[in-house]
Amino acid sequence: MTIEATDPRLAAYPALSAYLAHQSHQSYQSQQRPQVGELGPKRPGLDAAGPATAEERAAAPVPDDVRALRIRPKVMRRGIVGGAGGVGLLWGAQAAPSARLDALFGSGAHLSGLLAGYGILVMLLLMARVPAVEHGVGADRLARWHALGGRYVLSLVGAHMVLALCGYAAHTGTDLLTSAAQLLGYVGILAAALGTFALVVAGVSSVRAARARMSQETWRALHFLTYLGAALAFAHQLVGPDVSGSPLTVWVWAMLHATVAVLIVWYRGVVPVRQALRHALRVAEVRDESPDVVSVVMRGTGLDALRAEPGQFLRWRFVQRRLWHTSLPFSLSAPVRDDTVRITVKALGVHSRRIRRLRPGTRVLATGPFGAMTAHRRTRRKVLLLAGGVGITPMRVLFETLPAAPGDLTLLYRASNAAQLVLRDELEAIAAQRGAALHYLLGPSDASFDPLAPQALCNIVPGLAEHDVYLCGPGPMAEAATASLIRAGVPEQHIHTEQFSF
C-alpha cells in the first residue's frame, strides 16, 4: 500500500486511511506475488535458506549463537554506580576527619581524584567494543553514556585540580600562582597536568560544534589522546596517598587498569586483525539501487563465524585509496548466506560517495558485529518495523528473518517519493511470502498531512499499542516517530531503535 502524505482525503477523513490500511493488509495476503528469490537473477539475501514459511520461522528454535551473553543496560548501570560506591568506600576508609581548611580541601581533592580515575576507566570500557556490552546495551546508548560520562570526568578532574591547589596553598600559606608553580615541580603532578591537558583536548574535540568543523579522521586522532591521558593519570594515582598507602589498594587499582587495557587491545586490535585474516573479504559487486544509493556485495570465507544477527552493523574498512584509513559503520541489508554479505549505502558524505567507485576485488576489513536492535529485544507477538530513508537496510533483514505468523508483522517505509524507495522488489517479495503487511508512506516532510502522526499510525496499524516497534531512520524522523508512537499508546520500553553516527 502506498499512502501519499499530500493526499487531502487522508487528512480530512481518518476513517478512509483505516479502510485503505485494512484493504492493503488483505491484498498482500491474497495476491499471488513472486516468491523470495524469484525476482530474476539470484541476489544475496534473497535465496531461500532456513525455514521457508512464516509458520516454520515462528516455530524455529533460537540458535545457540543468538543466545550469546548480553549485559543488559540496567545491569551495566548498576555495575557502574556500584563501582563508584566502592571508590567512595575506599576513600572513606582512609579519610582522616579534620576541621583544618587544608585537610578539608585535601579530602575533597582525594575523593574527586579517585572518582575521576574510576570514571576514565569506565569511559574506556564503554568504548572497548566488548561483545557482551555492545550486544546488550547497544552502540548508540554506549556512545551517549560515553559522552555524558566524559563531561562528568572532566568536571571531576577540574574539581580535583582546584581543590588540590587550594589545599596546598592553605597548607603552605602561599598564593595560588606560587603554589601551582611549586606543585608542577613534582614529577607525579606534572604527569597529571599533561594527562589533564590530553583529556581536555579530547573532550573539546567531541563538542558538537567542534566535531562539525573537523573530519572524522581528525576527530579520531584527537580522541586517541584519551589513552595518553588515562596512562598519565594512572601513573599519578600510583604515587598518590589514596592508592599507594596500601599494597592491596595498589594491586586492585592496577588490576582494574590492566583488565580494561587487555579488553581494549583484544577487541579493538587483535580481534579485527584475526577477522581480516580469517574471512578474507573482498568486494564482489557494486550495484545501483537508486540515483544516490548503492549496494555493495562482498564475499569471503567462514562468514558464519561472524555471528552477525539481523539488525546489527559492522565497521567496514575498504582497502582502497582515499578509503583505507576510515572505518565506516553500515548495517547489513541482507542475511549472511553462502559466505556472501551485503550492505546498502546512501551517499551522504565524502566517504559514502566514494563507495560507489569501489572496484570488484577490493580487500575489505570488517569489524563486529555491533548493535543491540536484534530479535532478542522482542517481547510481543506482533511487531511493527518502521523505517525512514536508507534506514530500511536493517529493517529489510528483520522483515525477512523475524519469526512471525501471517498478519503479525508490519513494515512501514517512509520516503519523500517513490523514487527514494530502496530494495522495493525485495520487500514486496518478502511480504508476499510471509503474509506480512507492507505500507509505503510517501510525501515531503513538510506536507500538511503527517503519515507518522499518532492517529495516522493507529489507522494504518490496528492494535498499534500491542506491538513491539523497531525503528530506524534519520535523526529528526526517528525522534518524531518515537514521540508519535508514545502518544499512540506504545510503551517506550517497547520501542527499539539505535541512532549511531559521527
Side-chain angles (χ1 to χ4, degrees), residues 74-98:
K74 184 182 295 185
V75 174
M76 191 72 182
R77 282 196 298 265
R78 289 175 178 172
I80 293 172
V81 173
V87 171
L89 290 175
L90 173 65
W91 168 82
Q94 302 181 78
S98 175

Side-chain angles (χ1 to χ4, degrees), residues 198-463:
L199 291 174
V200 169
V201 172
V204 170
S205 70
S206 297
V207 175
R208 183 174 301 178
R211 290 180 68 173
R213 297 174 179 269
M214 65 181 70
S215 66
Q216 186 175 2
E217 292 79 13
T218 301
W219 176 80
R220 291 190 183 280
L222 291 175
H223 220 59
F224 273 112
L225 291 174
T226 303
Y227 298 118
L228 174 62
L232 292 174
F234 176 62
H236 169 67
Q237 291 159 5
L238 285 183
V239 299
D242 291 303
V243 175
S244 63
S246 165
L248 177 62
T249 306
V250 171
W251 182 84
V252 171
W253 207 248
M255 287 302 298
L256 288 174
H257 282 75
T259 300
V260 173
V262 168
L263 290 174
I264 291 172
V265 171
W266 181 257
Y267 287 112
R268 296 189 69 116
V270 176
V271 169
V273 172
R274 186 180 64 176
Q275 287 182 334
L277 295 175
R278 179 178 184 180
H279 302 302
L281 268 174
R282 292 186 181 275
V283 174
E285 180 187 1
V286 179
R287 57 169 173 258
D288 293 332
E289 301 288 357
S290 75
D292 58 350
V293 177
V294 297
S295 285
V296 181
V297 180
M298 293 159 280
R299 291 193 178 92
T301 58
L303 295 188
D304 286 341
L306 286 173
R307 304 204 306 181
E309 299 177 42
Q312 290 186 318
F313 69 93
L314 290 88
R315 300 177 188 275
W316 309 90
R317 191 182 299 272
F318 299 96
V319 186
Q320 183 170 301
R321 182 175 175 268
R322 305 177 75 181
L323 275 176
W324 65 268
H325 55 282
T326 303
S327 178
L328 302 169
F330 293 121
S331 300
L332 300 176
S333 64
V336 178
R337 291 197 181 107
D338 300 327
D339 283 336
T340 299
V341 66
R342 186 185 74 183
I343 60 174
T344 301
V345 181
K346 184 172 183 178
L348 295 173
V350 174
H351 296 104
S352 55
R353 286 195 293 269
R354 289 171 179 164
I355 288 178
R356 183 185 295 273
R357 297 192 291 272
L358 284 173
R359 297 185 298 272
T362 300
R363 187 70 179 267
V364 184
L365 309 181
T367 307
F370 305 105
M373 194 174 62
T374 58
H376 87 278
R377 282 192 172 183
R378 180 181 181 180
T379 60
R380 294 179 166 188
R381 179 173 62 87
K382 293 190 175 184
V383 177
L384 168 64
L385 307 176
L386 180 54
V390 78
I392 191 62
T393 54
M395 297 295 102
R396 177 251 179 266
V397 191
L398 289 169
F399 194 46
E400 179 180 352
T401 60
L402 271 180
D408 287 345
L409 184 62
T410 302
L411 172 61
L412 303 184
Y413 188 0
R414 180 79 171 95
S416 299
N417 52 64
Q420 297 297 318
L421 296 174
V422 181
L423 309 176
R424 181 171 184 171
D425 288 345
E426 299 181 14
L427 295 173
E428 294 179 358
I430 293 169
Q433 180 182 11
R434 304 201 62 189
L438 171 62
H439 308 286
Y440 303 123
L441 312 181
L442 305 181
S445 57
D446 58 352
S448 57
F449 172 69
D450 180 11
L452 296 179
Q455 187 58 53
L457 290 174
C458 290
N459 291 337
I460 300 169
V461 186

Side-chain angles (χ1 to χ4, degrees), residues 120-145:
I120 292 172
L121 275 182
V122 172
M123 295 304 98
L124 294 177
L125 177 62
L126 293 179
M127 293 291 104
R129 299 179 182 172
V130 180
V133 178
E134 286 275 348
H135 300 170
V137 179
D140 63 332
R141 185 181 281 113
L142 288 173
R144 291 196 300 270
W145 287 2

